[in-house]
Amino acid sequence: MSLPIYATTGQKIWYYSFRVIVGLILFFLIAPIIIIIPLSFNAENFFTFTPKMLALDPEGYSLKHYRDFFTNPDWIRPLKNSLIIAPFATIISVSLGTLAAIGLSQSHVPFRRGIMAILISPMIVPLIISATGMFFFYSQMGLWMEETFGISKSLSGYIKVILAHAALGIPFVIITVTATLVGFDQSLTRAAANMGATPTVTFFRVQMPLILPGVISGGLFAFITSFDEVVVVLFVGAAAQKTLPWQMFTGLREQISPTILAVATVLVGISILLLATVELLRRRSERLRGMSPS
C-alpha cells in the first residue's frame, strides 16, 4: 500500500518508521542464518571470514566442506538415520493428528478444550522436561519390546525415537488441520451420508480432499520438527540412532568441524523449500474454502 498524497507529516513519519522497524526486525531474525551460507564455502578450516574471502578472491572459496559432508561416513550415517526417522515419525504424526483434529472439531465431543490443551502440551512444556519424561517411559517400553518380541536393541531404539518424534509432531498437525476445519462446511458430510455414503467413503471422498492442504502443511511441520530435533534423541536414542542434528551438536562440542556450516546451509535450504510449500498449500486451502489469500 502506497502513501496517499494527502498524508500528514505524522502519517509520513510513521509510514517510513514502520518500514525501517520491520526491516530491522527482519535483519535481526535472518542475519544469524544468512551469515553461515558464505562461511560454508570457506577454503580454510575456519569459522570466520578469511582475508581472501573478504577480498572476494576465488581461492578463498571452496566446496570441500560439502564434499566432506556427502562422503564422510561420520556424516552419511546420521543423514541416513534422519531420513529414516523423520518420514516414519511424520506418517504417525499425520495419521493420529488428523484423526484427533477431526474428532475435536465435532461439537458434541465433551471437554474438547481440555483434550486439545493436553494434546498440544508438547509445544508448551519445555523440551528438556518432555525429553526427561520420554526417557523414562520409552526406556521401559524398549525393554518390554526386546523381552516380549525379541526385537534387537537397534530396532527398538529406532522405534523409540520415531514414537518420541511423532509425539512432538502431532501438535503441529492438530493445529493446522483444526485451522483448516474452521471453514469446512459440515453440510457436505451430511449430504454425502444422506446419499448413502459410509463414514469412511465420506472422509476420503468429501472431507479429505478439502482439508488435504492443512494435512500436508501439518505433515511438513512435523517433518521439520523431527528432522531438526536433537534434545529428545539425546535422551531416547543411542549411538546407532545418531541423527544429523546430534552429529552437528557433537561436532560443535568435540571436533569443531567447519563441515557443520555446510550441513547447516543444506538444512536451511530444505527448510526454505518446505516453508514455501506450506505457504502455497495455505493459499490453495483458502481458495478451496472460498477465501482470498491475504
Side-chain angles (χ1 to χ4, degrees):
M1 185 178 66
S2 60
L3 188 66
I5 58 176
Y6 53 82
T8 63
T9 302
Q11 290 174 331
K12 292 180 179 179
I13 293 174
W14 169 245
Y15 178 84
Y16 293 108
S17 299
F18 177 76
R19 277 152 179 75
V20 171
I21 293 172
V22 171
L24 291 174
I25 293 174
L26 183 62
F27 176 79
F28 174 77
L29 292 175
I30 69 173
I33 300 175
I34 298 300
I35 199 68
I36 67 171
I37 297 177
L39 280 175
S40 66
F41 296 97
N42 194 343
E44 305 294 336
N45 293 325
F46 300 142
F47 279 83
T48 58
F49 289 98
T50 61
K52 289 184 177 181
M53 293 185 69
L54 295 176
L56 300 180
D57 187 346
E59 294 183 359
Y61 296 86
S62 173
L63 295 174
K64 69 175 187 177
H65 301 311
Y66 289 90
R67 286 194 295 267
D68 183 59
F69 171 49
F70 290 108
T71 58
N72 192 335
D74 292 338
W75 289 101
I76 292 177
R77 180 61 181 176
L79 176 61
K80 289 181 179 179
N81 284 338
S82 293
L83 293 177
I84 291 172
I85 293 171
F88 281 105
T90 301
I91 292 172
I92 297 174
S93 299
V94 170
S95 301
L96 299 181
T98 301
L99 293 176
I102 293 174
L104 293 173
S105 66
Q106 306 300 318
S107 59
H108 59 81
V109 176
F111 310 111
R112 286 191 302 164
R113 295 182 181 274
I115 297 174
M116 176 69 78
I118 294 174
L119 292 177
I120 67 173
S121 60
M123 298 179 59
I124 304 170
V125 176
L127 192 56
I128 189 68
I129 296 178
S130 299
T132 304
M134 289 178 180
F135 167 74
F136 290 105
F137 176 79
Y138 287 115
S139 61
Q140 295 299 320
M141 190 186 74
L143 292 175
W144 175 78
M145 289 190 298
E146 293 168 13
E147 295 174 356
T148 305
F149 302 104
I151 297 176
S152 64
K153 287 187 178 182
S154 177
L155 179 57
S156 67
Y158 280 105
I159 294 175
K160 291 187 294 183
V161 175
I162 289 172
L163 294 178
H165 281 189
L168 297 178
I170 285 175
F172 292 96
V173 179
I174 291 176
I175 290 175
T176 55
V177 176
T178 300
T180 306
L181 288 169
V182 169
F184 182 78
D185 188 1
Q186 296 294 340
S187 63
L188 296 176
T189 58
R190 291 193 291 269
N194 289 334
M195 298 184 69
T198 63
T200 303
V201 173
T202 302
F203 173 75
F204 284 106
R205 293 290 186 88
V206 179
Q207 199 168 22
M208 179 56 77
L210 294 177
I211 67 172
L212 187 60
V215 174
I216 297 177
S217 299
L220 292 176
F221 278 116
F223 181 86
I224 294 174
T225 301
S226 175
F227 201 83
D228 294 342
E229 203 283 322
V230 64
V231 177
V232 169
V233 74
L234 284 173
F235 277 78
V236 178
Q241 294 83 44
K242 180 182 289 188
T243 59
L244 198 56
W246 183 350
Q247 179 64 25
M248 294 175 67
F249 178 75
T250 304
L252 286 172
R253 291 185 57 196
E254 302 174 2
Q255 303 169 359
I256 314 298
S257 172
T259 306
I260 296 171
L261 299 174
V263 179
T265 302
V266 172
L267 293 180
V268 168
I270 293 174
S271 299
I272 291 174
L273 290 176
L274 293 179
L275 292 176
T277 304
V278 169
E279 177 62 18
L280 293 175
L281 291 171
R282 183 189 68 83
R283 292 174 177 270
R284 182 176 183 274
S285 176
E286 290 178 349
R287 288 197 299 270
L288 289 175
R289 290 183 291 165
M291 303 168 60
S292 298
S294 57

